Amino acid sequence: MAAVIVFKYPLSIVGCALDMLGPCLLIGYDIGCKLTTTIKSSPLATKFEDSKNRNRPNIIEGVDLKDLSTMEHIFSASNQLTSVTRYATTCNCRLFINMYFWQWDKDKYVNLGKMLYNNYPQALCIVNDSGLALQQAKISLQIDDKDIQAFQVKQSKYLETLGLESE
């Protein structure tokens, strides 16, 4: 029960997110293993189990660990608000948080054109190089897209039972 107390902030976030998003939830957390263990011993366990194994970043098409590190960067930067919100009323606290993310959005969209222009050549190289590497690997391993999809299903089933093996 002590772990639940230490993790009450992340647990409250996970609880709200599960209520809002249900099985569509994808969580990226620095100490994910400890958080998962804590969630399993909390009242959120049954709700969390429904989404946990289907929503791992490595088995969702289009999701990369870099996406999660970007989110970490955004929320880490929002820690600057603590000095302003620590003793603020609930209303003012929400107002400051809203203003912070509104400004972050505004700044992000101002720089979006520049970011796209700078990253487009890099993205083309990644697509071309990765696509070529994938095709070569598929040929050398004598597999096709169906085999890769079957591997993803097998990996997901393996991850569901990870830690449940008898020794």
Side-chain angles (χ1 to χ4, degrees), residues 7 10-11 23-24 33 44 50 54-55 59 63 73 94 103 112 123 129 132 141-142 149 151 159 163-164:
F7 277 98
L11 283 174
C24 298
C33 294
L44 300 172
D50 290 342
R54 286 188 303 242
N55 296 340
I59 60 173
V63 175
H73 173 73
R94 289 179 179 178
Q103 186 63 49
L112 185 61
D129 295 347
L132 182 59
L141 296 171
Q142 299 177 345
Q149 290 171 351
F151 172 73
L159 291 171
L164 301 177

Side-chain angles (χ1 to χ4, degrees), residues 14-27 44-56 59-60:
V14 169
C16 288
L18 282 168
D19 287 343
M20 290 178 64
L21 301 171
C24 298
L25 180 63
L26 173 65
I27 299 173
L44 300 172
T46 53
K47 283 186 191 178
F48 183 71
E49 285 299 316
D50 290 342
S51 67
K52 169 179 83 112
N53 296 309
R54 286 188 303 242
N55 296 340
R56 292 184 181 269
I59 60 173
I60 298 175

